[in-house]
Amino acid sequence: MNTSMNALDEDLASRNPSTVLAGAWDALDLGARVADAITWEETSDELLALTAAQECSAARALLPLPGTGRPVPLKASEIQAGPGGLAPYAGLLERTYRALAGLAEQDVQLSEAAEHTAAAARSLAAVRGQ
């Protein structure tokens, strides 16, 4: 899992806008799947989890389809328990927000996608009371 997240971080840090957008697409997909996986946990705030998933989907809908893709594998058992268990995913969404915001200087649609991503990161971080 860490290798896949490291690859996403490399994509998000790229100087090539197409690579950044493809990385954002995959990061938002992962964020939505994590939020879906934890929605009904006893220790999770299901409304915040649903909000995080919806915000990820809304952001992704505003991005162009990537030319390449590699969904990050995810098993619910890989998501660590407790408030800190979601920190890597919320952090990835925060880095995705920064990457999209960096591309959005003159693009309203990317700016809107960045704002959805920021909202998803905040919601996911708060799901377990972080």
Side-chain angles (χ1 to χ4, degrees):
M1 176 71 138
N2 287 337
T3 302
S4 298
M5 291 200 22
N6 289 339
L8 286 178
D9 280 331
E10 288 176 18
D11 288 351
L12 294 171
S14 173
R15 292 182 182 257
N16 181 336
S18 296
T19 302
V20 172
L21 291 171
W25 179 274
D26 290 338
L28 289 163
D29 173 64
L30 179 61
R33 289 186 291 127
V34 167
D36 285 343
I38 61 155
T39 297
W40 304 114
E41 288 181 345
E42 289 182 28
T43 59
S44 293
D45 181 323
E46 61 271 1
L47 291 178
L48 285 173
L50 289 169
T51 298
Q54 288 174 339
E55 293 289 355
C56 285
S57 296
R60 222 173 85 172
L62 293 167
L63 300 180
L65 292 173
T68 60
R70 57 183 187 300
V72 175
L74 175 71
K75 295 179 184 172
S77 61
E78 294 175 342
I79 302 169
Q80 299 296 313
L86 298 178
Y89 306 102
L92 177 63
L93 290 175
E94 289 170 5
R95 292 186 298 280
T96 303
Y97 159 73
R98 288 192 301 274
L100 288 174
L103 293 177
E105 293 175 1
Q106 298 175 354
D107 189 307
V108 173
Q109 192 166 326
L110 286 181
S111 180
E112 187 177 341
E115 292 306 315
H116 282 295
T117 304
R122 285 190 303 269
S123 294
L124 190 60
V127 166
R128 290 181 178 162
Q130 288 182 341

